[in-house]
Amino acid sequence: MKKVCNNIYLVLIILLIGSIACTSKNNSSLADEIQNKLDSLKSVHAPDKRVALWTVSLSNEEGKISVLGEVDSDKAYNDIKIIVSQRFPNAELNIDLLPKEGNEPVVNGLVNNSVINLRSNPRHSAEIATQTLLGTPVRILKRENGWYLVQTPNKYIAWVDAAALVKINKEELDKYREAKKIVYNKQYGFSYSEADCNSQTISDLVIGCILPVTSSNAEFYKVQYPDKRFAWIKKDEVIDFEELINRTIDEEELVKTAKKFLGIPYLWGGTSSKAIDCSGFTSTIYYMNGIILQRDASQQTKYGELITTSYSWENLQTGDLLFYGRPASDTLPEKVTHVAMYIGDSEFIHASGKVRINSIDSTRDNFITDYVQKFIRATQVKGSENTSGIEQFKDNNFYKTIISE
């Protein structure tokens, strides 16, 4: 009898182990199926992590499958919910749509410093991903340990020290939109406590900073910072925001803007006249001429009209963008790593070590030999405004919120 019981017990153990193994195998297969669906959704909603938030992951522990993470797109959020709830109803769904408030406007923050560094992770030692300037409208997605995860007008997503931003509500945004605004137009300068350049400085300023005007006298504008500080700025150092947003591309103005940066040192992630990288430079040139470009060279190269893939200047026009890097080969894909702007007479201006001018013409002293092999293509922005990746201020979702009607 004891032997029979032992045999029955052994059979039950074997069946239980088999059941567990089968369940484990089924869960593993199910997890793989869910992961494949999530990967497909990511390729649609967040193919470029620089401009779309997607931290969705899968957990498969103790026989329990969970889908968790964060996204910033309503469409991505809804598609994940639909697929998981309809096709995998036993999986637990824990996805957050940022910002969590749900009813936040497109813009809920303003840059409060002349230049702010946006970093790849929420710590000061992290890589600088990009920079943004005073008065720029941003979308705050979340706060974490004294840092904001934000999105800029060219859709770039990165982290910034919360002290560098001011969070605003709809009423404050409406007030900012209706105020007369000015844009700083010198390479570098200051705002002052009084209408006097010898008075206490309030802060530094760089080309592209935006501030609302509260009053003025013959020589100065009185302005207000997002954190309610007041300051005075010389009138001959600024242009009207309305002028900026209504500008059309003018070749002479592009060159004039670009040359204001000559000698400015190179900084990976820089987009300001304090220090700047190659794509930050080209995007800032166009920013000061009323056009929003994508942030990085590898993004900028995807847009505009293709002009040539030959390293010659016969078909180039002033303002065309020249892209360099690793051309595609039989074994390696194309990799764009550098961008410059053509300024006429075979010359281009770019940020490489510092902002400088070089030539495509091999007979010129400022010709760079190894750039011949690195050249990939030239594209034209003019004529491509308001196409994908190239926007006028008035058509950008972020800047539209601060343009007076």
Side-chain angles (χ1 to χ4, degrees):
M1 183 68 181
K2 184 177 181 181
K3 184 176 180 181
V4 172
C5 289
N6 285 339
N7 288 339
I8 293 173
Y9 178 73
L10 182 60
V11 170
L12 290 174
I13 291 295
I14 292 171
L15 290 174
L16 179 60
I17 292 173
S19 174
I20 292 172
C22 183
T23 301
S24 177
K25 184 177 179 181
N26 288 340
N27 271 351
S28 179
S29 299
L30 180 59
D32 288 342
E33 188 178 353
I34 296 174
Q35 187 63 61
N36 288 336
K37 295 296 182 184
L38 292 176
D39 290 343
S40 296
L41 286 179
K42 181 181 179 181
S43 68
V44 172
H45 296 294
D48 187 343
K49 67 179 182 180
R50 293 169 293 186
V51 297
L53 179 67
W54 180 285
T55 61
V56 181
S57 62
L58 198 66
S59 171
N60 184 12
E61 296 181 0
E62 299 178 355
K64 182 179 180 181
I65 297 177
S66 301
V67 179
L68 57 157
E70 298 170 330
V71 295
D72 69 329
S73 160
D74 288 340
K75 188 71 170 64
Y77 179 74
N78 289 330
D79 282 354
I80 293 171
K81 285 181 63 178
I82 290 171
I83 283 182
V84 173
S85 63
Q86 292 185 358
R87 302 196 61 175
F88 312 104
N90 292 327
E92 182 179 310
L93 185 62
N94 188 16
I95 296 291
D96 287 329
L97 174 62
L98 299 183
K100 285 187 178 181
E101 288 83 352
N103 59 351
E104 289 277 4
V106 171
V107 166
N108 58 357
L110 293 173
V111 175
N112 195 45
N113 294 345
S114 62
V115 180
I116 63 171
N117 295 322
L118 282 75
R119 299 183 181 274
S120 56
N121 289 294
R123 59 179 185 273
H124 288 290
S125 60
E127 173 189 63
I128 296 176
T130 190
Q131 293 178 326
T132 305
L133 308 181
L134 174 66
T136 300
V138 298
R139 184 185 184 202
I140 299 173
L141 298 174
K142 69 174 181 176
R143 181 166 181 152
E144 182 179 301
N145 298 324
W147 291 78
Y148 282 131
L149 181 64
V150 303
Q151 187 171 42
T152 63
N154 57 11
K155 300 181 181 178
Y156 224 77
I157 296 175
W159 293 89
V160 62
D161 187 331
L165 291 182
V166 171
K167 191 168 185 178
I168 59 173
N169 56 34
K170 184 179 182 303
E171 182 181 347
E172 291 166 327
L173 180 60
D174 290 343
K175 185 177 180 180
Y176 186 63
R177 179 175 61 248
E178 296 307 317
K180 170 184 171 63
K181 289 178 282 293
I182 55 172
V183 182
Y184 199 68
N185 198 38
K186 284 185 63 179
Q187 183 189 80
Y188 193 76
F190 297 93
S191 64
Y192 302 93
S193 60
E194 305 293 339
D196 180 354
C197 293
N198 293 316
S199 64
Q200 173 64 51
T201 57
I202 297 300
S203 82
D204 68 317
L205 296 166
V206 298
I207 186 170
C209 289
I210 303 171
L211 281 164
V213 173
T214 61
S215 64
S216 65
N217 63 21
E219 297 183 12
F220 286 81
Y221 283 119
K222 187 177 183 180
V223 297
Q224 186 175 34
Y225 283 71
D227 63 1
K228 311 305 181 186
R229 285 174 295 164
F230 288 97
W232 294 84
I233 300 176
K234 291 193 69 178
K235 284 185 174 181
D236 61 4
E237 296 180 354
V238 304
I239 59 173
D240 284 346
F241 182 63
E242 292 292 325
E243 177 188 339
L244 178 63
I245 64 177
N246 289 307
R247 280 184 171 176
T248 55
I249 296 176
D250 178 271
E251 294 179 0
E252 289 185 7
E253 285 299 319
L254 289 173
V255 175
K256 183 179 177 181
T257 300
K259 288 185 175 180
K260 288 182 179 182
F261 289 79
L262 279 171
I264 297 296
Y266 180 92
L267 174 69
W268 177 273
T271 63
S272 74
S273 57
K274 290 186 176 184
I276 202 160
D277 68 19
C278 64
S279 54
F281 179 48
T282 52
S283 62
T284 299
I285 295 169
Y286 272 96
Y287 166 87
M288 289 303 296
N289 285 273
I291 299 294
I292 309 299
L293 300 183
Q294 294 295 288
R295 170 60 182 90
D296 292 343
S298 60
Q299 296 171 305
Q300 292 175 11
T301 195
K302 298 176 182 179
Y303 308 104
E305 180 186 351
L306 175 64
I307 301 301
T308 183
T309 57
S310 300
Y311 202 43
S312 61
W313 64 93
E314 284 80 5
N315 297 319
L316 297 179
Q317 295 183 29
T318 298
D320 288 352
L321 299 181
L322 312 177
F323 295 96
Y324 301 85
R326 182 186 67 203
S329 68
D330 293 338
T331 56
L332 293 171
E334 170 186 295
K335 185 177 182 181
V336 174
T337 58
H338 189 60
V339 60
M341 189 184 81
Y342 186 69
I343 60 174
D345 191 28
S346 84
E347 291 188 320
F348 58 90
I349 190 168
H350 61 140
S352 177
K354 61 179 177 295
V355 176
R356 56 193 172 112
I357 295 173
N358 289 101
S359 177
I360 297 172
D361 186 349
S362 61
T363 67
R364 299 283 186 92
D365 291 339
N366 57 351
F367 174 74
I368 305 177
T369 303
D370 63 356
Y371 270 36
V372 177
Q373 299 302 319
K374 293 179 179 179
F375 182 72
I376 297 176
R377 69 178 60 83
T379 66
Q380 189 170 96
V381 173
K382 188 176 181 179
S384 301
E385 302 94 331
N386 302 324
T387 60
S388 177
I390 301 173
E391 295 179 301
Q392 290 183 308
F393 266 80
K394 59 187 177 183
D395 295 306
N396 178 271
N397 285 337
F398 285 69
Y399 284 109
K400 279 196 296 187
T401 66
I402 67 168
I403 295 174
S404 173
E405 298 177 356

